[in-house]
Amino acid sequence: MPHRRRKKLMKYTVRQRIFTIEAKYDITDTDGNPVYYVESEIISLGRVLHIYDMQGSEAALIEQRLFTFGRKYDVSCRGTHCVTISKTPFTFFGSHYTIEGTDWEVEGAPMSHEFSVIDGAGRIVASISKKWFTWGDCYLIDVPTEDSLMGLAVVLAIDAVIDSSDN
């Protein structure tokens, strides 16, 4: 197994807003400053999540691909398609996720929201852990500064796959 060398990380807290019709999340940095916010579309075919910066510009888009075998989500950052996340429908041990368009893979236990995204060289691209005993869902996400938006969008897409699998 390759050595897991850590880069300088951005640490985000993703907190679900409660008492809303559609899914909404606030994303803050380590100092509690708002960085992004996420809103889902209420009326759409499949799940769609928009990640906005604090100026209200769309930073990333996560869209469920319909009429596919298994669950697939396309991720676009700043208007450019980056990756497609898919969950392998039938696995004997745990869950397996594919991140098409990169050499990234998922390690850990995604269903319990404790996992990392690793690149082909063995470097951590993003890691997520769930904070328990909070109002609404709350996650801690670490991503290297150079992969910050894409790593964050990939983790939110994996969470959307998990959420759609639970429903």
Side-chain angles (χ1 to χ4, degrees):
M1 181 177 284
H3 176 64
R4 304 252 192 269
R5 170 170 67 95
R6 292 186 75 84
K7 302 176 184 179
K8 182 177 179 192
L9 297 176
M10 288 292 300
K11 295 181 180 287
Y12 295 111
T13 299
V14 178
R15 186 174 309 274
Q16 180 182 23
R17 293 185 202 167
I18 56 174
F19 307 120
T20 61
I21 295 172
E22 70 276 358
K24 290 186 179 186
Y25 298 89
D26 294 311
I27 302 173
T28 57
D29 63 15
T30 50
D31 298 323
N33 300 315
V35 181
Y36 298 106
Y37 61 97
V38 181
E39 293 184 352
S40 67
E41 291 183 10
I42 298 174
I43 302 173
S44 66
L45 293 174
R47 189 160 190 195
V48 179
L49 297 172
H50 300 271
I51 302 173
Y52 297 103
D53 61 23
M54 296 317 296
Q55 290 73 41
S57 299
E58 185 176 81
L61 176 67
I62 301 166
E63 292 181 282
Q64 183 177 5
R65 193 182 290 179
L66 300 176
F67 311 113
T68 61
F69 186 67
R71 308 230 188 272
K72 288 190 178 197
Y73 283 78
D74 291 313
V75 176
S76 300
C77 295
R78 307 267 184 229
T80 303
H81 181 268
C82 300
V83 296
T84 299
I85 311 292
S86 59
K87 180 179 182 214
T88 305
F90 304 108
T91 57
F92 290 109
F93 303 105
S95 303
H96 184 263
Y97 294 84
T98 303
I99 305 172
E100 300 168 27
T102 67
D103 62 349
W104 298 359
E105 62 183 53
V106 178
E107 288 185 354
M111 295 305 281
S112 65
H113 295 90
E114 300 287 335
F115 64 92
S116 295
V117 177
I118 310 297
D119 71 11
R123 293 181 298 252
I124 295 174
V125 175
S127 62
I128 183 171
S129 61
K130 184 172 184 170
K131 284 181 76 172
W132 297 97
F133 309 112
T134 61
W135 286 95
D137 288 336
C138 184
Y139 306 100
L140 303 175
I141 300 174
D142 297 338
V143 291
T145 53
E146 66 272 13
D147 296 323
S148 180
L149 179 60
M150 188 165 148
L152 184 62
V154 165
V155 167
L156 290 171
I158 292 169
D159 182 63
V161 173
I162 294 166
D163 189 46
S164 65
S165 297
D166 290 346
N167 291 333

